Amino acid sequence: MEPSPASPGTPDWLGPAAEASDQVEQAALPTGAVALLLGVSPTTVRSWERRYGIGPEHRHEGHHRRWGPRDIAVLEAMCHLTARGVAPAEAARAALAERDARQPATSLPSQPAGAPQETPERGASGGRALRVGSVRPECRGLARAAVRLDAAETVRILREAVASLGVIEAWTEVMMPALRAAGRKWAVDGEQYVEVEHLLSWHVSSVLREAAIASIVSGPGRPVLLAAGPGEQHTLPLEATAAALSQRALPFRMLGAAVPPRALVDAVHRLGPCAVMLWSQDHRTADQELARLVGAATWGARGSRTRALVVAAGPGWLRHGPPPGASSPRTLAAAVDLLERATHPPGPGTPGQIAANGAGASGG
């Protein structure tokens, strides 16, 4: 279930791109590592290269393709543009033009004889600015604050973005581009920028949790259950979902990272949720059998038993696709809309509580 080159929305669901960094040993990455870094499939990367000429600038005969920082920046720009509905061919032209307009990374501007040598611009922290591409001013300011390790400014920008834009747009347009830029720098530069990504991730998580608990809904309504699959440690997208649900005054329960199968199924039986979102960042944590168990769990009086809608979210599900009957939204906005519909079932006794768009779990 690999996304096509024009598939919108994949970047919205990515955790920090640095999650792939432990697989990166050199500044030039193979196609598979680049695909994991950006949250697309290797087939998509190869398709973009074949159709639109977006390939490594430097190639060596007889060797696998290796993508350098400038090449990866082009692919990231391509992801950013196609996610916003720009046609792939047009996005490719714009991404390549942006690369060509930049000074080559391997050289410095020429200097008159005897003139003092200039170095690339550095922030107050001594680290080069993060390349965030064409983004909102808030995102650019957030990236600069993170590079400076300016915690107060980072929190201010994040809080103002959530307050003025709402959680979904703040996540998509401000938080994620900055997180992905920090992760990419970490991946290609080794240990440098780890501190930037860690500081930024921690404050993003703090602000999202702050928004999530600001107006938690309690009452008799059936909640949405949010959990990461067994072994999955990355929860920022779940925290964004919780914050967005809270902004819409929708009930939820957050179980967080690496929930064991038995604990999750037990929670489903105890809570009777309207929906269960299972987050997987990596295909190794996309537990198909667990998703089936959750989808098969039923409760209620005989003759009117019900079950939860299963939402298999995150790039980890892309390799094999979600299990039968489960939904797999491609964006945070789509996921929250789906979960909101799940909290308002069309009527008693309807399996899965969601019939719209074929999203509901089947069976009784």
Side-chain angles (χ1 to χ4, degrees):
M1 190 172 176
E2 294 169 341
S4 68
S7 294
T10 299
D12 294 1
W13 273 117
L14 292 183
E19 290 156 5
S21 64
D22 59 348
Q23 301 177 20
V24 177
E25 296 180 356
Q26 300 182 35
L29 310 181
T31 300
V34 170
L36 181 61
L37 191 66
L38 298 177
V40 298
S41 72
T43 300
T44 296
V45 175
R46 296 186 187 101
S47 174
W48 284 346
E49 181 180 8
R50 183 176 66 255
R51 296 182 185 182
Y52 311 117
I54 296 184
E57 289 184 287
H58 306 292
R59 301 179 185 175
H60 303 282
E61 292 296 330
H63 294 275
H64 293 294
R65 287 171 175 79
R66 308 289 293 189
W67 302 76
R70 278 163 53 86
D71 306 320
I72 295 172
V74 172
L75 291 174
E76 184 183 33
M78 185 78 173
C79 289
H80 180 86
L81 292 168
T82 56
R84 282 150 184 77
V86 178
E90 181 181 346
R93 286 193 293 271
L96 290 169
E98 182 180 348
R99 180 198 67 186
D100 294 341
R102 293 195 294 262
Q103 179 71 18
T106 56
S107 63
L108 294 173
S110 59
Q111 299 284 344
Q117 294 294 310
E118 296 180 356
T119 57
E121 182 180 355
R122 293 175 179 268
S125 67
R128 293 183 181 85
L130 299 177
R131 294 181 180 273
V132 291
S134 301
V135 294
R136 300 182 65 100
E138 298 95 326
C139 178
R140 200 170 298 281
L142 179 62
R144 288 196 293 264
V147 168
R148 296 196 307 269
L149 303 183
D150 187 339
E153 180 69 1
T154 297
V155 171
R156 184 193 68 79
I157 293 172
L158 289 169
R159 283 176 171 166
E160 288 187 0
V162 169
S164 61
L165 303 175
V167 170
I168 291 175
E169 191 170 353
W171 170 262
T172 305
E173 302 290 340
V174 179
M175 299 175 185
M176 282 316 308
L179 284 165
R180 293 173 66 236
R184 188 176 67 248
K185 290 292 287 183
W186 176 359
V188 300
D189 291 339
E191 293 184 356
Q192 191 177 12
Y193 299 98
V194 172
E195 76 288 358
V196 175
E197 197 276 340
H198 283 193
L199 178 136
L200 182 57
S201 295
W202 191 83
H203 285 301
V204 166
S205 176
S206 299
V207 170
L208 288 173
R209 293 186 184 200
E210 184 179 83
I213 65 174
S215 56
I216 274 191
V217 176
S218 62
R222 296 170 61 212
V224 172
L225 189 59
L226 305 172
E232 180 59 71
Q233 297 294 331
H234 304 108
T235 61
L236 280 181
L238 282 179
E239 292 165 16
T241 304
L245 291 173
S246 183
Q247 277 199 335
R248 296 191 186 187
L250 299 173
F252 70 90
R253 301 290 187 275
M254 168 68 83
L255 300 187
V259 181
R262 182 176 177 181
L264 180 59
V265 174
D266 181 58
V268 169
H269 282 289
R270 288 161 61 193
L271 284 172
C274 61
V276 179
M277 175 182 282
L278 284 172
W279 175 264
S280 173
Q281 180 73 22
D282 184 271
H283 70 90
R284 291 167 294 188
T285 64
D287 192 326
Q288 297 273 336
E289 180 59 26
L290 176 58
R292 283 191 285 268
L293 286 174
V294 170
T298 60
W299 54 87
R302 186 180 298 276
S304 60
R305 297 182 70 78
T306 188
R307 65 184 67 204
L309 168 68
V310 177
V311 180
W317 298 97
L318 292 178
R319 172 173 291 193
H320 301 295
S327 294
S328 188
R330 299 298 302 278
T331 69
L332 175 60
V336 175
D337 287 344
L338 179 63
L339 295 171
E340 182 172 23
R341 292 196 298 273
T343 64
H344 300 91
T350 51
Q353 310 306 312
I354 287 289
N357 302 320
S362 60

